[in-house]
Amino acid sequence: MGKKLAIGLVAVVLLGVAGYFGVRFFGDRTARAEVERAFEEIRRRGGVAQFAEASVDPAARSIVLTGVALGGADATVKIARLTATGAQPPRDNYAEAETLDLEGVEITLSGPAAFGGTLVYAIPKVMIDRYRGPVVPLAAPAGEAGPFGAARFALRQFAATSAAKVTIPSLTLRQQPAKAGAVPVELAYEGIAAEQIAAGKVRSLLVDKLRFSGPDEVPVEGSPQDAAPTGGARQTGELSGIVAARLDTAPFLAVLTGTAPGKEPDDYQAIYGKVVTGPYRVKHHDGSTAGADSLLLEHVGIKPSAIALDRLLELDALTRKGPDLSVAELSALVEETRRIIDGLAFRTFSMTGLSATSKGETVRIAAVRLDGFAAGVLDAFELEGLDGTDADKRPVKAAQFVVRRLDLKALADLAREADAPTPMAALGLFKVVSGIEAAGVEVPYEGDNAAAGQPLRIGALTLGWGSVLGEIPTTLRFEMKDVSGPISAADGEPFVYLANAGITRATMSTALNIAYDPASRDLQVGPLGARLEKAFAVTLDAGIGNVPKEAFGDAASAFGALGEVTARPLTLKVENLGLAELMFQQLAEAAGVSPDEIRADLSAQVDEIAAVLAQVNPDVVDVAAAVKSFLATPRTLTLSATPRADTPLLPLFLNDAPFGALSAFSLSATAGP
């Protein structure tokens, strides 16, 4: 945005300067006197204005000025030659011309207008079609010479100027920071063309190419790279094919002045309708590179009341202090950042074909997209086609990664507690995002065994929550499909049985769903499940009742509500996918017996346990029969528990009798296919 604003500022100055002439009579004898009169008006208002020669061609209705020099406290403009053809006599202090050509233009800004340093624009040639602008500069209000006074003045001039087209074949910019020895910023534009300029708006702006160079990133103080020499380190880059549509400078003027004519300062005001670019490439001083094939930015707006000039200056001063901020300054930094974030909005920002290289490693991303940003909240962040390597050159991939509803203001609140976190800070994460999704992920397995470095893959992952009543969400969904990775006997049960059978990788899927119904005050948990391929699958459906809405206020309220909640029906389903056979076979081999003997021994143990528990709940007898049937032919076992009455849960957990809770439920079980 800053670079495009720089282009706009140059256009503002040029179009404003072009109006600094006014000749009422076309004749050599009067030309110089009339131009001098206009320039004298500029000097009377406190500016610098002079020219070398003025001539007129009455037949062509052309005016030529040479050696033009204009300036103020922190800005100067020099024009070697200014030619206007098809000029009209000024009317209402406005001058018009069919064409206006400027040659040898140099604009120099210093002081606050150049961020404390010096900013120089060099423009060999400018061509303007159907120009109309003020004969002399518009009156500047009191205090215009303060910070960014030149920019405010230029934006006002631009708003009073119109042109059918402005063409600038080339333009260079050099910013020299005030700090001695600092690396300057240099930009070179090629093929600038702007069309339909009026009332501070530009219908379209095209730039064929932008080349830039400037200071490279300086290592963080105290980091291992801090000792490396960084003086003079530069980065260079290039951006091609810039196309911007529906530009409006009025919001920028509102930021610098605090108001915008005809608009509420608390509303978002559009500054870009659409910006599209071609390839972008940057190279750092250490040889690393980064780039993208294209960029897209749509419907960008700002809220002038949030992005106020004094706020920007204060934020800049705080960030320059680095890590030496006091607690009060850190709080102020977070607050100012929150307000500025609130002042930005856009509909879409996307990049395609991203790549980065460093020390022989390359990371590629097919696309990155940000959708719907306003009031500090981003509707969605999406990354597609990540393909790269880690520090050990092992592959890292992700087909898709999505973050839903990212609240940057809530994130800033968490940052405020970074040095003194509270238990509530963890719950604050629920307000930062509303969900995360991933698919086609592959990362190296981190372990200290022979499997280290092998790929760990995630087919799909979904984690989301919503309907936050207080600090805790009332809905939660977690699902992870086809997570596969290396296994060994050292991983313990149940993986030891798979590994002993010669299986070196396992694939697992899990799911959890939680939903609260405020009307019924029921909290449903399920389906909650896990599936380990070639082993087993288990699914649980359960819930609790009489849950007050206040339980979702904060952590303390949630614990306080435990005394009120009651039990609801529970169903547990276990499916054998091959683990039972492996266990029976391996246990039998270890004991030196047959698998049938292992089954018989387990069935006998079930009978012993059932005989004890049946004294508490007679339903255990039927449950034991189903379990024994499952052991004999391991397929599917379904267990159900239904409360006999409206049973509070907390007393059941606090019961001193180990199996006392069994009497509160009606139990059933089935074994089948």
Side-chain angles (χ1 to χ4, degrees):
M1 181 183 296
K3 294 171 184 174
K4 295 181 180 65
L5 179 57
I7 298 175
L9 180 59
V10 172
V12 165
V13 173
L14 292 177
L15 292 175
V17 167
Y20 293 174
F21 70 91
V23 180
R24 298 179 181 278
F25 307 102
F26 296 100
D28 286 329
R29 290 186 303 173
T30 58
R32 185 178 185 92
E34 291 297 320
V35 174
E36 180 60 44
R37 184 178 304 169
F39 277 53
E40 177 58 33
E41 179 63 19
I42 298 174
R43 291 192 289 268
R44 188 184 67 80
R45 297 184 180 184
V48 175
Q50 61 186 33
F51 65 96
E53 296 293 337
S55 61
V56 172
D57 182 347
R61 290 186 298 134
S62 68
I63 304 169
V64 178
L65 300 180
T66 61
V68 177
L70 305 166
D74 53 7
T76 61
V77 179
K78 296 179 180 179
I79 305 172
R81 183 181 181 88
L82 184 154
T83 303
T85 60
Q88 300 291 334
R91 291 178 296 178
D92 300 325
N93 291 321
Y94 273 79
E96 299 181 19
E98 287 296 319
T99 63
L100 191 62
D101 295 336
L102 298 89
E103 301 175 28
V105 180
E106 182 179 288
I107 303 171
T108 302
L109 304 177
S110 59
F115 306 99
T118 303
L119 195 63
V120 179
Y121 294 86
I123 313 167
K125 190 173 183 64
V126 181
M127 295 167 283
I128 305 173
D129 295 338
R130 295 201 295 278
Y131 167 84
R132 183 178 186 273
V135 171
V136 295
L138 301 178
E144 194 68 277
F148 294 93
R152 283 194 294 269
F153 174 71
L155 288 171
R156 288 193 178 97
Q157 290 294 128
F158 186 56
T161 303
S162 65
K165 185 175 182 179
V166 177
T167 304
I168 304 176
S170 64
L171 179 155
T172 60
L173 177 153
R174 179 182 175 88
Q175 181 194 17
Q176 182 63 57
K179 185 178 180 180
V183 177
V185 175
E186 297 178 346
L187 299 96
Y189 298 86
E190 297 178 9
I192 301 174
E195 294 185 344
Q196 297 301 317
I197 301 168
K201 299 180 180 181
V202 181
R203 189 183 70 178
S204 66
L205 171 67
L206 286 75
V207 181
D208 289 341
K209 188 168 293 186
L210 164 62
R211 294 186 177 91
F212 57 89
S213 68
D216 214 337
E217 292 186 7
V218 178
V220 177
E221 184 177 354
S223 68
Q225 297 84 4
D226 187 45
T230 58
R234 301 178 67 87
Q235 61 172 324
T236 59
E238 181 175 294
L239 178 61
S240 302
I242 305 170
V243 179
R246 302 187 302 280
L247 282 70
D248 191 349
T249 63
F252 292 122
L253 181 59
V255 169
L256 299 180
T257 60
T259 59
K263 295 183 179 180
E264 293 294 331
D266 287 334
D267 292 339
Y268 286 108
Q269 301 174 17
I271 55 175
Y272 299 117
K274 189 173 186 178
V275 179
V276 181
T277 79
Y280 164 78
R281 299 289 181 267
V282 61
K283 182 176 181 180
H284 300 280
H285 73 282
D286 61 359
S288 60
T289 64
D293 291 341
S294 68
L295 289 83
L296 169 66
L297 189 58
E298 292 184 296
H299 298 287
V300 184
I302 61 175
K303 187 187 296 183
S305 61
I307 309 179
L309 179 59
D310 56 350
R311 181 164 295 140
L312 293 174
L313 294 174
E314 181 178 355
L315 184 63
D316 180 66
L318 289 171
T319 54
R320 288 178 183 274
K321 295 190 68 173
D324 299 326
L325 293 175
S326 65
V327 174
E329 289 173 330
L330 179 61
S331 178
L333 176 63
V334 172
E335 185 60 29
E336 294 303 329
T337 302
R338 278 173 53 100
R339 293 178 179 177
I340 290 178
I341 288 174
D342 184 62
L344 301 174
F346 60 82
R347 187 173 73 181
T348 304
F349 173 68
S350 66
M351 296 183 288
T352 63
L354 290 85
S355 64
T357 63
S358 179
K359 298 179 181 179
E361 300 174 12
T362 301
V363 176
R364 296 182 178 87
I365 301 174
V368 171
R369 183 181 179 93
L370 288 77
D371 282 321
F373 182 74
V377 178
L378 179 67
D379 289 343
F381 166 85
E382 184 172 354
L383 178 150
E384 294 181 356
L386 169 65
D387 189 352
T389 58
D390 66 2
D392 297 321
K393 299 188 181 303
R394 299 174 300 186
V396 176
K397 299 180 180 180
Q400 185 181 51
F401 178 76
V402 181
V403 177
R404 302 290 184 190
R405 197 184 181 281
L406 174 61
D407 191 331
L408 297 182
K409 292 193 294 183
L411 184 61
D413 287 339
L414 286 182
R416 192 193 301 270
E417 296 194 38
D419 295 330
T422 65
M424 291 302 298
L427 295 178
L429 289 171
F430 287 122
K431 294 184 177 181
V432 174
V433 296
S434 66
I436 299 172
E437 301 169 16
V441 177
E442 179 180 324
V443 296
Y445 175 74
E446 298 295 342
D448 54 2
N449 52 32
Q454 294 186 31
L456 175 64
R457 300 186 178 96
I458 300 175
L461 181 148
T462 301
L463 175 61
W465 51 84
S467 302
V468 179
L469 292 179
E471 298 291 336
I472 304 174
T474 61
T475 62
L476 174 68
R477 182 191 177 205
F478 171 72
E479 186 174 9
M480 192 159 55
K481 294 182 178 179
D482 300 331
V483 180
S484 66
I487 61 171
S488 69
D491 293 326
E493 296 185 0
F495 302 104
V496 61
Y497 299 105
L498 299 176
N500 289 340
I503 299 173
T504 59
R505 292 184 65 86
T507 300
M508 190 172 186
S509 300
T510 60
L512 169 64
N513 289 275
I514 298 176
Y516 175 68
D517 184 354
S520 65
R521 307 219 310 175
D522 284 347
L523 180 68
Q524 183 66 29
V525 180
L528 183 159
R531 181 183 182 91
L532 182 61
E533 299 298 335
K534 301 180 181 179
F536 68 90
V538 59
T539 305
L540 173 68
D541 275 297
I544 55 177
N546 198 34
V547 181
K549 293 190 294 183
E550 293 74 19
F552 300 91
D554 52 37
S557 299
F559 284 113
L562 290 177
E564 302 180 40
V565 300
T566 57
R568 288 289 184 265
L570 176 151
T571 300
L572 176 67
K573 180 179 179 181
V574 179
E575 181 182 359
N576 173 46
L577 302 177
L579 179 62
E581 289 78 6
L582 292 177
M583 292 178 66
F584 292 149
Q585 182 65 39
Q586 292 176 29
L587 290 172
E589 292 176 355
V593 298
S594 69
D596 288 340
E597 291 178 90
I598 295 294
R599 288 189 177 92
D601 184 54
L602 290 174
S603 293
Q605 293 182 38
V606 169
D607 285 335
E608 293 177 5
I609 296 172
V612 176
L613 297 182
Q615 300 177 26
V616 180
N617 189 331
D619 294 344
V620 171
V621 175
D622 293 335
V623 173
V627 172
K628 291 168 61 178
S629 176
F630 176 77
L631 291 174
T633 308
R635 293 175 296 182
T636 299
L637 176 66
T638 303
L639 306 173
S640 297
T642 303
R644 299 182 187 278
D646 198 15
T647 306
L649 272 181
L650 192 58
L652 296 179
F653 287 113
L654 299 178
N655 195 333
D656 293 335
F659 305 106
L662 285 177
S663 61
F665 293 88
S666 173
L667 306 177
S668 65
T670 59

